[in-house]
Amino acid sequence: MSKNIIIAAIITISLAIAGCADEPAKTAAQQPLQPIDVAEVLIKPVQSWHVYTSRLESPEEVALMPRVSGVIDSIAFKEGDEVKQGDLLFQLDDRPFAAVVASLEAQILSADAALEQAKSEAKRAIRLTERNAISTEQAQARTSTLHQRQAQLVALQAQLTSAQLDLEFTAIRSPINGVISRANITRGNNVIAGQSVLTSIVSNHEMYAYFDIDERTWNSSFSDVTAASKQQVVMQKVGQENFAHDGYINFIDNRINASTGTLRVRAIFEDSEQLRSGSFARIKLAANAITKQIIIPERAIGTDLKNRFVLTVDENNVLAYKLVEVGERYGKLRAITSGLNKGDIIAVNGPARVGPGMPINPTTVAIDTTDIAFTLTANDDASLVAKY
């Protein structure tokens, strides 16, 4: 009887243990699956981007200096204003220069009268020589005097021209169109010709950006580019999120710099009243070749030590680990050069809440490409606001 009781107890305990073991499995099976946003990868034609830094330069910059020395009589501009070529900026006291002009004009009148007398005496000498009334030496002396008077008049006329120029240079005018800086020297101060910097003027209708492209990149991506082809570029200023300024290459240097292995290139940005010379700029230049690549959100990419990976979704809605190699970035999207194929479904929010081998409850969403320019010609109408 005791044996039967012991056997019954053992069977009861075994059944209880088996029931306890099955309970977690039932609980796990009953847990709801993790909801995850998934999307099919995109296939887009893209261009590779190359980014360079630069400082904007004005095509024309003038450090304005006087051509004659004198005292500033008046200043005829408002600091910081736009000026046109020929506008009066500074006026020097012109009275000393006007006096020199008047003196030379009087000397020319006297020299002209002396020349007329010398001409008359030279003609009379010729007639007297024909009658042997004077010697040949006397006739030659009168002819020599005539030549001297002519030379004196020419010299005085040249001096008058120089004096008139000096008088004209007392009115200091703008040599270019542009924006003028402040007056470094104010009214009443003496200035020295060719030394005193009165102010500076910077043209603002175009801006240049010089940058250096390494030889390997140039030969692989831009070997067919010339200044005449006007290769398009986009530019971003400090503090801007987008590359909002459109320009093109208008100068390519004639040689590779042997010391650095780079080629100097210049981009021009027209109608650039909002740009200032000396500003820091980032230039983006697209390679000419257009290729089709897989595009996914940047946030879908995870990092595992040195590797980049993406979680894909199989037919059973189970996540799988896929190593990938990333390419260019386009706004919040990234090109994938290897590891994914057309038609692959990925977890768009990356591995933040899930991991490989986990079953999920997928919610299909679309990858947003609004305002994303994958090529320079993709958004011609919105090229100035596209997120490159």
Side-chain angles (χ1 to χ4, degrees):
M1 184 69 181
S2 59
K3 288 183 178 180
N4 293 335
I5 294 173
I6 293 172
I7 291 171
I10 292 172
I11 292 173
T12 302
I13 293 171
S14 299
L15 291 174
I17 293 173
C20 292
D22 289 342
E23 191 65 27
K26 292 179 181 179
T27 303
Q30 292 172 357
Q31 283 184 347
L33 299 178
Q34 179 75 34
I36 295 295
D37 291 340
V38 301
E40 183 177 350
V41 299
L42 300 178
I43 307 294
K44 289 286 186 179
V46 298
Q47 288 176 295
S48 296
W49 293 95
H50 303 274
V51 181
Y52 304 94
T53 58
S54 179
R55 290 278 179 185
L56 296 183
E57 297 181 21
S58 173
E60 294 182 305
E61 296 185 12
V62 175
L64 191 64
M65 292 183 285
R67 297 189 181 187
V68 294
S69 300
V71 177
I72 297 178
D73 192 50
S74 63
I75 298 175
F77 67 92
K78 184 178 180 181
E79 296 176 327
D81 273 1
E82 286 197 18
V83 295
K84 301 294 184 182
Q85 183 177 1
D87 285 353
L88 179 65
L89 303 178
F90 293 86
Q91 178 64 58
L92 303 184
D93 185 359
D94 62 356
R95 291 173 297 176
F97 300 93
V100 173
V101 170
S103 174
L104 288 170
E105 288 175 343
Q107 293 179 51
I108 286 175
L109 290 175
S110 176
D112 192 53
L115 177 60
E116 291 299 322
Q117 182 181 358
K119 286 179 180 179
S120 177
E121 290 181 356
K123 290 179 181 179
R124 185 166 177 269
I126 293 172
R127 293 195 299 270
L128 293 175
T129 302
E130 290 173 353
R131 298 198 301 267
N132 295 323
I134 61 173
S135 65
T136 303
E137 290 78 5
Q138 289 177 317
Q140 290 177 345
R142 294 185 181 183
T143 301
S144 177
T145 301
L146 172 62
H147 293 162
Q148 291 176 13
R149 297 291 183 266
Q150 289 174 331
Q152 289 173 358
L153 181 60
V154 171
L156 287 171
Q157 288 173 337
Q159 292 178 38
L160 176 62
T161 300
S162 178
Q164 288 172 334
L165 284 174
D166 288 345
L167 178 60
E168 181 181 341
F169 293 153
T170 60
I172 302 172
R173 301 182 181 275
S174 176
I176 61 171
N177 297 333
V179 177
I180 194 166
S181 183
R182 67 183 184 87
N184 297 327
I185 305 176
T186 55
R187 187 177 62 175
N189 288 289
N190 189 65
V191 294
I192 301 174
Q195 295 185 24
S196 302
V197 179
L198 302 174
T199 187
S200 62
I201 306 171
V202 175
S203 65
N204 65 333
H205 294 291
E206 295 177 342
M207 284 292 165
Y208 288 160
Y210 289 90
F211 53 97
D212 297 322
I213 300 177
D214 66 274
E215 186 176 1
R216 181 185 296 275
T217 300
W218 181 264
N219 292 336
S220 62
S221 301
F222 307 108
S223 58
D224 58 341
V225 174
T226 65
S229 63
K230 295 185 176 181
Q231 181 80 8
Q232 191 175 3
V233 302
V234 289
M235 186 264 288
Q236 176 191 53
K237 296 192 300 181
V238 172
Q240 291 184 329
E241 294 184 1
N242 301 330
F243 287 75
H245 302 277
D246 221 12
Y248 60 89
I249 291 175
N250 74 333
F251 166 77
I252 301 169
D253 210 348
N254 58 4
R255 60 178 295 179
I256 299 288
N257 187 324
S259 300
T260 61
T262 58
L263 180 66
R264 176 57 59 93
V265 176
R266 182 181 72 200
I268 184 173
F269 299 90
E270 299 174 339
D271 299 326
S272 56
E273 285 80 1
Q274 297 179 351
L275 303 179
R276 293 184 182 275
S277 180
S279 297
F280 179 83
R282 296 175 69 234
I283 309 296
K284 268 194 175 183
L285 178 62
N288 287 338
I290 297 178
T291 59
K292 287 188 176 181
Q293 292 189 7
I294 291 174
I295 303 295
I296 66 173
E298 180 86 28
R299 68 179 184 274
I301 303 171
T303 302
D304 181 9
L305 297 178
K306 296 181 180 180
N307 301 320
R308 300 286 189 92
F309 69 92
V310 171
L311 296 177
T312 60
V313 183
D314 63 14
E315 62 275 6
N316 297 319
N317 292 333
V318 176
L319 296 177
Y321 179 95
K322 281 285 187 73
L323 287 175
V324 295
E325 292 185 7
V326 300
E328 300 289 335
R329 183 178 177 181
Y330 303 91
K332 295 181 179 180
L333 306 181
R334 175 78 77 163
I336 300 298
T337 58
S338 68
L340 293 178
N341 299 309
K342 181 179 180 181
D344 281 348
I345 306 297
I346 63 168
V348 297
N349 293 320
R353 295 182 299 161
V354 292
M358 179 182 292
I360 62 169
N361 178 21
T363 301
T364 302
V365 297
I367 297 176
D368 185 14
T369 61
T370 305
D371 291 336
I372 303 294
F374 298 100
T375 66
L376 277 177
T377 57
N379 289 331
D380 287 339
D381 293 336
S383 61
L384 295 183
V385 296
K387 299 177 182 177
Y388 293 92

